[in-house]
């Protein structure tokens, strides 16, 4: 009776030297490698994993307080600076300077954080308290640059901006299908801070007596934001110390030399008259011949293929997009108090041919900024639900489209030569706040999905997760600093050039997205 021939594609003979006199002499019994359902479930669970809820809440609250600390002075910083001898441009520097020193402090903090988040969390709380105290004491000592010192010290706390974003996309405890969802919660707290901060600053300016209007040398409308936030940060520090715990770091055990697992192939006995050799010894008829099949070693380190080259182009585009979002948002937040207080013309002159007829007080400007955030907040909350179903590239296109529409409408109103009223400015500001906050949701999450977590360069494994979050955060810092300075100078350079530059920067995002649209496809969630 003829038996099935041994197909060399199915079985590869290992180190043993086996000679067969006839190709029909051996009948292999090969069991196919069927994937286990448990392993599939484990992969799916890994894509949906989340960090501890208490620690996640602490991180989100920290991001909220940082945003409030950044924006609480926006409505009154112009008055504060002018009272102590500064101008509107200096006010823009005061608003944007914290991110410069946050970027300087970020690398030293990363050197000692040991891959965790507890150290930067404590640094954030401590420096926030000191920074707000210095800011409040500037009026008491009549020192303009003490405002700057307070913002510089408080800027060290803003290193936590990067850690908040990295925490929500850390592959060690956040699955790939949960990164955009958590990033949308970060953006929601970002929008809430952008709303609460200016409103609270304007309210304190009114309630505490304003500058020289019933206020004292220590407590007044200009210093109250510093004192209030110092107390809030002290309370939060105690809460964070109690609730927050770093996620356990899983370290892979060092490989130990173990015998490799081999597949056993049962062979039929050779017919009489045929011989074989296996390491110079032949088993008796009826015995099982064990042949070493070539299988990948489980103890061997996996090879790490390099990511496609266009993935790095997507990463560069995400950095530009992150810079764009915070440049435009920072510029508008710094410009609105100046634009609505002094009035401005399209070519930069003031008071004569006024382009704005609002003339808002610091309290009114703060409430105006907050109102735009309140209008955008429900849609930002809806974005949390959309993030689970929409691809990141669609969220990016939707956000930049809405924000660009707000800029175009504002440019048209300015170009018409009529005075900008309350309603047109509010509509444009709401569109800008909503659009660019939504667009900033996907910058880090899309980059982390496009690039692998680890790459191997010259035989050394490099963690890309930390580097991508660092690149995005420095892009955010650049946008915040340049945007705040540009917004403070917008009235001086002219409102048409002011909006035109912002549209040009957004245009780069549109062109890059058009060219890399297929490469930006990633998993949802």
């Amino acid at each position: 009776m003829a038996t099935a021939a041994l197909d060399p594609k199915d079985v590869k003979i290992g180190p043993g030297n086996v000679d067969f006199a006839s190709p029909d002499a051996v009948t292999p019994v090969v069991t196919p490698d069927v994937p286990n359902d448990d392993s599939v479930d484990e992969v799916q669970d890994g894509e949906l994993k989340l960090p501890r809820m208490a620690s996640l809440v602490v991180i989100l609250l920290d991001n909220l307080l940082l945003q409030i600390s950044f924006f609480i002075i926006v409505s009154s910083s112009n008055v504060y600076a002018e009272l102590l001898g500064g101008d509107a441009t200096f006010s823009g520097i005061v608003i944007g300077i914290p991110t410069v020193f946050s970027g300087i402090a970020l690398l030293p903090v990363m050197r000692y954080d040991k891959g965790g988040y507890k150290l930067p969390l404590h640094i954030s709380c401590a420096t926030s308290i000191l920074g707000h105290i210095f800011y409040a004491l500037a009026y008491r000592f009549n020192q303009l640059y003490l405002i700057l010192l307070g913002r510089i010290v408080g800027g060290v706390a803003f290193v936590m901006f990067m850690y908040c974003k990295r925490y929500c996309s850390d592959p060690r405890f956040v699955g790939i299908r949960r990164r955009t969802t958590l990033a949308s919660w970060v953006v929601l707290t970002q929008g809430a801070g952008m709303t609460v901060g200016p409103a609270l600053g304007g309210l304190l300016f009114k309630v505490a007596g304003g500058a020289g209007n019933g206020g004292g040398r220590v407590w007044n409308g200009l210093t109250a934001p510093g004192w209030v936030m110092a107390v809030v940060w002290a309370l939060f520090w105690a809460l964070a110390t109690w609730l927050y715990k770093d996620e356990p770091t899983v370290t892979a055990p060092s490989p130990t030399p173990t015998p490799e697992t081999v597949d056993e192939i049962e062979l039929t006995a050779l017919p009489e008259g045929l011989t074989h050799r296996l390491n110079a010894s032949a088993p008796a008829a009826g015995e099982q011949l064990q042949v070493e099949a070539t299988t990948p070693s489980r103890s061997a380190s996996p090879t790490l293929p390099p990511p496609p080259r266009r993935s790095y182009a997507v990463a560069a585009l995400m950095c530009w997009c992150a810079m764009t979002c915070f440049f435009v948002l920072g510029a508008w937040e710094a410009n609105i108090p100046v634009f609505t207080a002094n009035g401005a013309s399209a070519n930069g002159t003031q008071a004569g041919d006024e382009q704005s007829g609002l003339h808002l007080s610091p309290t009114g400007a703060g409430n105006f900024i907050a109102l735009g955030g309140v209008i955008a907040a429900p849609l930002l909350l809806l974005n949390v639900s959309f993030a689970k179903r929409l691809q990141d590239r669609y969220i990016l296109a939707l956000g930049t489209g809405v924000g660009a529409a707000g800029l175009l409408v504002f440019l048209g109103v300015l170009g018409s030569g009529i005075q900008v009223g309350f309603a047109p400015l509010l509509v444009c500001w709401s569109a800008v706040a909503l659009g660019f906050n939504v667009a900033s949701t996907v910058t880090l999450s899309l980059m982390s999905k496009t690039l692998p977590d680890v790459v191997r360069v010259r035989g050394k494994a490099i963690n890309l997760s930390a580097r991508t979050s660092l690149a995005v955060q420095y892009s955010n810092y650049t946008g915040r600093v340049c945007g705040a300075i540009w917004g403070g100078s917008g009235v001086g350079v002219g409102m048409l050039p002011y909006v035109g530059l912002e549209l040009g920067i957004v245009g780069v995002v549109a062109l890059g997205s058009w060219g890399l649209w297929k490469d930006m496809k990633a998993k949802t969630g």
Side-chain angles (χ1 to χ4, degrees):
M1 180 182 296
T3 59
L6 178 64
D7 190 350
K9 296 181 179 179
D10 297 332
V11 178
K12 297 180 182 179
I13 306 303
N17 184 13
V18 182
D19 291 343
F20 300 98
S22 171
D24 298 333
V26 182
T27 302
V29 181
V30 181
T31 303
D33 186 13
V34 180
N36 194 340
D37 291 340
D38 294 338
S39 63
V40 176
D41 293 339
E42 184 178 353
V43 171
Q44 292 177 348
D45 292 341
E47 292 183 349
L48 301 176
K49 61 185 176 181
L50 290 168
R52 292 176 66 251
M53 184 56 66
S55 298
L56 177 60
V57 169
V58 169
I59 293 296
L60 294 176
L61 284 177
D62 186 86
N63 189 66
L64 173 64
L65 292 180
L66 288 173
Q67 297 289 345
I68 294 175
S69 296
F70 187 86
F71 292 114
I72 196 171
I73 68 147
V74 166
S75 57
S76 59
S77 64
N78 187 37
V79 177
Y80 204 179
E82 289 180 353
L83 191 64
L84 297 180
D87 54 15
T89 302
F90 185 85
S91 172
I93 295 174
V94 167
I95 294 173
I97 197 66
T99 52
V100 174
F101 286 85
S102 177
I104 295 173
L106 188 55
L107 291 178
V109 174
M110 289 184 67
R111 182 177 181 181
Y112 296 102
D113 64 11
K114 298 180 180 178
Y117 299 84
K118 185 171 289 187
L119 175 63
L121 180 61
H122 289 309
I123 291 175
S124 174
C125 295
T127 53
S128 290
I129 294 172
L130 291 176
H132 283 298
I133 291 175
F134 287 150
Y135 183 86
L137 289 175
Y139 190 89
R140 171 65 180 83
F141 294 100
N142 196 29
Q143 293 294 325
L144 176 65
Y145 288 94
L146 197 54
I147 300 177
L148 208 59
L149 177 62
R151 295 290 284 176
I152 289 172
V153 174
V156 177
F158 294 159
V159 298
M160 197 62 192
F161 276 141
M162 189 274 289
Y163 284 95
C164 290
K165 292 179 175 64
R166 196 177 85 180
Y167 187 89
C168 293
S169 63
D170 196 321
R172 295 176 296 178
F173 45 81
V174 179
I176 194 171
R177 292 187 179 271
R178 287 293 177 261
R179 296 177 190 175
T180 305
T181 303
L182 293 189
S184 63
W185 281 104
V186 172
V187 171
L188 185 62
T189 59
Q190 174 181 305
M194 182 187 69
T195 302
V196 174
L200 181 59
L203 179 63
L204 290 173
F205 182 86
K206 183 176 182 179
V207 172
N213 185 21
R217 298 289 298 173
V218 175
W219 173 266
N220 56 58
L222 300 175
T223 63
W227 295 120
V228 169
M229 290 308 299
V231 173
V232 171
W233 273 106
L235 296 175
F236 173 76
W237 195 0
L239 180 67
T241 304
W242 175 43
L243 290 180
Y244 181 80
K245 290 182 177 61
D246 267 333
E247 298 291 330
T249 303
V250 180
T251 56
S254 59
T256 55
T258 56
E260 295 184 355
T261 305
V262 298
D263 295 336
E264 294 184 359
I265 302 177
E266 183 178 354
L267 305 177
T268 60
L270 295 176
E272 186 177 357
L274 297 180
T275 61
H276 61 252
R277 296 194 309 273
L278 177 59
N279 294 334
S281 63
E287 293 185 1
Q288 292 182 350
L289 176 64
Q290 292 185 353
V291 181
E292 182 181 2
T294 58
T295 57
S297 171
R298 292 177 184 147
S299 61
S301 59
T303 58
L304 300 172
R309 291 183 178 180
R310 291 177 71 88
S311 297
Y312 292 107
V314 173
L317 177 62
M318 290 303 101
C319 290
W320 182 267
C321 181
M323 187 278 296
T324 300
C325 292
F326 286 95
F327 179 89
V328 177
L329 289 172
W332 276 68
E333 288 148 359
N335 178 261
I336 285 175
V338 181
F339 178 69
T340 59
N342 297 331
S345 67
N347 60 9
T349 60
Q350 297 183 9
D353 180 21
E354 292 184 347
Q355 192 76 3
S356 168
L358 297 179
H359 298 282
L360 298 179
S361 66
T363 302
N367 292 337
F368 184 89
I369 295 173
L371 184 58
V374 169
I375 295 173
L379 298 176
L380 289 176
L381 186 60
L382 194 62
N383 180 52
V384 176
S385 177
F386 284 157
K388 300 177 182 178
R389 299 173 178 84
L390 289 179
Q391 292 184 24
D392 290 359
R393 55 180 180 171
Y394 294 124
I395 297 175
L396 176 64
L398 177 64
T400 53
V402 172
L407 292 175
L408 286 171
V409 171
F410 189 54
L411 186 67
V413 173
L414 291 172
S416 66
I418 63 175
Q419 282 192 338
V420 180
F422 185 90
L425 184 59
L426 179 62
V427 170
C428 296
W429 163 234
S430 299
V432 167
L434 173 63
F436 291 108
N437 271 302
V438 169
S440 67
T441 303
V442 301
T443 51
L444 181 56
S445 62
L446 181 56
M447 189 187 297
S448 68
K449 293 175 183 178
T450 305
L451 295 174
D453 297 330
V454 180
V455 294
R456 191 174 296 277
V457 178
R458 296 179 181 177
K460 181 180 179 181
I462 296 179
N463 181 10
L464 279 186
S465 175
R467 285 166 171 77
T468 54
S469 58
L470 188 64
V472 169
Q473 190 56 45
Y474 272 115
S475 302
N476 293 345
Y477 287 157
T478 303
R480 280 189 183 273
V481 174
C482 298
I485 296 174
W486 181 244
S489 305
V491 170
V493 300
M495 294 302 292
L496 286 177
Y498 162 78
V499 181
L501 177 64
E502 295 171 6
L503 280 171
I505 294 174
V506 175
V508 176
V509 176
L511 289 175
S513 300
W514 176 74
L516 298 170
W517 185 253
K518 292 182 179 179
D519 302 284
M520 293 165 61
K521 185 177 181 180
K523 291 184 177 180
T524 59

